Amino acid sequence: VVDMARLQSLEDENRTLRAQLHFLQTSGYAAIGAQVIGRDLQNGRMQFLLDRGTRDQVETGQAVITNEGVFVGKILTTAEHASVLEVFTDPDARTATSPAQRQRLVGIVEGRGNGAALLTYIPPSEVLKKDDLLVTAGTEEKVPANLPLGIINRVNGQPTDPFLTAAVEPLVG
């Protein structure tokens, strides 16, 4: 039973590593692998301490993604041997966002804490609906375009409002 559990764990790790390799080979991104070595989840915060820093060419503002290219957040601060990741659902986080099908800036995803996010500053003329995929807009210097980040749960507001909002369900938990 122990050997079977170990084999299953190794197979899962192998699948994960293959997915990472495939993404990196097809994306064209230069990547730096990192591990989480600490976290701050108090008061709705969503920040993680990573084991890579300036000695590894990690810079403030860089996008952090999963092994399959899903946007997680941005590097908030760096030190020589570590950095802090601010997840895009952190209450202080802001990310320029686009609908996947239109590839143009339509609003800012603002973190609300505890894994919640809200797409704000949506022009009333913009047609968004439940289950639309949101991606990074590519308007931020160190955040590439088209990194998937979440799905619209509902759009709030009236056509006469100056801006609409939309509840966003993150693709990563």
Side-chain angles (χ1 to χ4, degrees):
V1 173
V2 171
D3 286 342
M4 189 59 121
R6 185 171 181 270
L7 178 60
Q8 182 63 43
S9 175
L10 289 172
E11 286 178 352
D12 291 345
E13 181 181 23
N14 188 23
R15 265 193 297 282
T16 299
L17 291 171
R18 286 182 184 273
Q20 288 174 354
L21 180 61
H22 179 262
F23 173 74
L24 291 175
Q25 287 176 334
T26 58
S27 71
Y29 298 133
I32 302 165
Q35 292 186 351
V36 174
I37 57 174
R39 63 185 179 177
D40 179 5
L41 304 177
Q42 296 178 18
N43 301 320
R45 303 305 312 215
M46 289 292 292
Q47 296 179 355
F48 294 91
L49 183 63
L50 305 178
D51 68 345
R52 298 286 186 250
T54 55
R55 71 178 163 105
D56 304 296
Q57 287 78 49
V58 173
E59 299 175 8
T60 301
Q62 282 179 326
V64 176
I65 60 175
T66 66
N67 60 344
E68 296 168 340
V70 176
F71 181 77
V72 176
K74 296 181 262 189
I75 297 296
L76 181 64
T77 61
T78 58
E80 185 176 355
H81 298 282
S83 56
V84 175
L85 156 63
E86 181 179 61
V87 177
F88 78 88
T89 59
D90 184 276
D92 291 335
R94 305 289 180 266
T95 306
T97 307
S98 164
Q101 67 275 18
R102 292 197 278 290
Q103 299 181 347
R104 70 172 185 268
L105 178 66
V106 296
I108 305 295
V109 168
E110 298 181 3
R112 293 295 190 225
N114 297 321
L118 188 68
L119 179 60
T120 60
Y121 301 111
I122 305 168
S125 60
E126 194 65 48
V127 179
L128 296 174
K129 61 189 180 314
K130 183 177 174 18
D131 296 328
D132 279 353
L133 176 64
L134 297 174
V135 298
T136 54
T139 58
E140 298 174 76
E141 181 182 351
K142 298 175 186 171
V143 179
N146 300 315
L147 297 174
L149 62 83
I151 296 174
I152 293 179
N153 272 345
R154 74 180 171 282
V155 178
N156 307 309
Q158 302 298 320
T160 56
D161 292 344
F163 294 103
L164 306 176
T165 63
V168 177
E169 180 180 335
L171 293 177
V172 292

